Amino acid sequence: NAGVMQNPRHLVRRRGQEARLRCSPMKGHSHVYWYRQLPEEGLKFMVYLQKENIIDESGMPKERFSAEFPKEGPSILRIQQVVRGDSAAYFCASSPRTGVGTDTQYFGPGTRLTVL
Amino acid sequence: GEDVEQSLFLSVREGDSSVINCTYTDSSSTYLYWYKQEPGAGLQLLTYIFSNMDMKQDQRLTVLLNKKDKHLSLRIADTQTGDSAIYFCAETPVSGGYNKLIFGAGTRLAVHP
């Protein structure tokens, strides 16, 4: 069973460009979480999605950021008109169902975004 | 509010025990987690503890929970150079019934010979 896949692993964008980050959850997992890790900091929750639904986007900036998890295909985190402050590692995690505890999240390797 | 705090650095000698400490604020958190992050990698779940437990042991790892003080610790016995990494404590406040993790800033563990 392959783990959570993220691509690309490294992404370089110039200010003003768009960044598109992809996450393929583990097989059988229908819940996806996105987190952002700024340099020398812990991970901060951004958004939680189920198939075709955004459940909680309270951690995601209201402008320029959007996320989706379509019925088919990976979850996408999209950042429009990137700025230098968007440079960070973006991690995706998946879980098989909602709830806490043993329904743990499995993390992907992350996408490291650098904005020049 | 939701806040998790950890000391930033810990240096230990190979073979000694390491103790990484964490404090959290949300008393509604039912599960608390320890994750390990190696350089350039994602997060690996090490262990978790349910809030009605005081202690959990898993091979070289021992987790202690003091719910009254909202204090969590991770003890690594016989620390090895391969344990050098950043260790994150995380809580899951009960909010909507799903697993929104709140992380500390991480403790960087350096193991020297």
Side-chain angles (χ1 to χ4, degrees):
Chain A
N1 189 6
V4 178
M5 310 281 283
Q6 289 188 251
N7 68 82
R9 295 290 307 275
H10 300 273
L11 182 61
V12 179
R13 285 286 177 267
R14 297 189 181 280
R15 280 179 298 170
Q17 291 185 319
E18 178 180 289
R20 204 173 269 251
L21 289 62
R22 293 175 185 77
C23 167
S24 296
M26 288 178 71
K27 188 177 179 182
H29 288 194
S30 58
H31 299 258
V32 165
Y33 301 77
W34 284 93
Y35 295 84
R36 176 165 66 175
Q37 184 180 31
L38 294 171
E40 306 300 320
E41 293 188 13
L43 280 71
K44 303 291 185 192
F45 168 81
M46 296 183 75
V47 61
Y48 162 52
L49 310 103
Q50 296 177 21
K51 283 282 186 182
E52 300 184 275
N53 287 301
I54 297 174
I55 307 302
D56 182 348
E57 55 183 348
S58 61
M60 199 159 66
K62 292 196 172 10
E63 295 181 0
R64 302 188 298 108
F65 285 73
S66 62
E68 63 177 17
F69 188 15
K71 188 177 179 182
E72 302 290 337
S75 175
I76 306 285
L77 180 67
R78 184 173 172 223
I79 311 172
Q80 294 179 288
Q81 299 175 318
V82 295
V83 300
R84 288 215 174 105
D86 297 332
S87 294
Y90 292 83
F91 290 96
C92 163
S94 74
S95 69
R97 58 190 176 276
T98 192
V100 295
T102 56
D103 178 27
T104 54
Q105 293 176 35
Y106 297 86
F107 281 80
T111 294
R112 280 150 183 84
L113 172 66
T114 301
V115 180
L116 301 177
Chain B
E2 303 164 344
D3 197 14
V4 178
E5 295 194 357
Q6 303 177 236
S7 52
L8 294 183
F9 299 101
L10 178 65
S11 179
V12 299
R13 193 187 303 273
E14 191 174 13
D16 287 351
S17 292
S18 308
V19 179
I20 302 171
N21 295 301
C22 168
T23 58
Y24 61 98
T25 55
D26 197 318
S27 57
S28 72
S29 288
T30 53
Y31 284 87
L32 297 127
Y33 300 83
W34 285 103
Y35 282 86
K36 176 183 180 183
Q37 185 182 36
E38 297 185 69
L43 272 70
Q44 173 195 353
L45 176 65
L46 286 179
T47 187
Y48 64 89
I49 188 167
F50 185 49
S51 60
N52 70 352
M53 298 169 65
D54 298 325
M55 185 182 87
K56 181 179 179 182
Q57 188 152 5
D58 184 1
Q59 299 183 334
R60 292 191 299 125
L61 305 178
T62 303
V63 179
L64 295 178
L65 175 61
N66 182 329
K67 196 173 180 184
K68 174 176 168 288
D69 294 338
K70 299 193 185 76
H71 182 267
L72 183 74
S73 68
L74 174 69
R75 178 176 179 270
I76 305 173
D78 186 26
T79 313
Q80 303 297 307
T81 54
D83 295 324
S84 294
I86 302 175
Y87 290 80
F88 292 97
C89 167
E91 63 171 343
T92 52
V94 176
S95 56
Y98 54 87
N99 230 358
K100 174 178 162 181
L101 291 169
I102 308 297
F103 285 90
T107 299
R108 190 178 297 270
L109 174 64
V111 182
H112 55 89

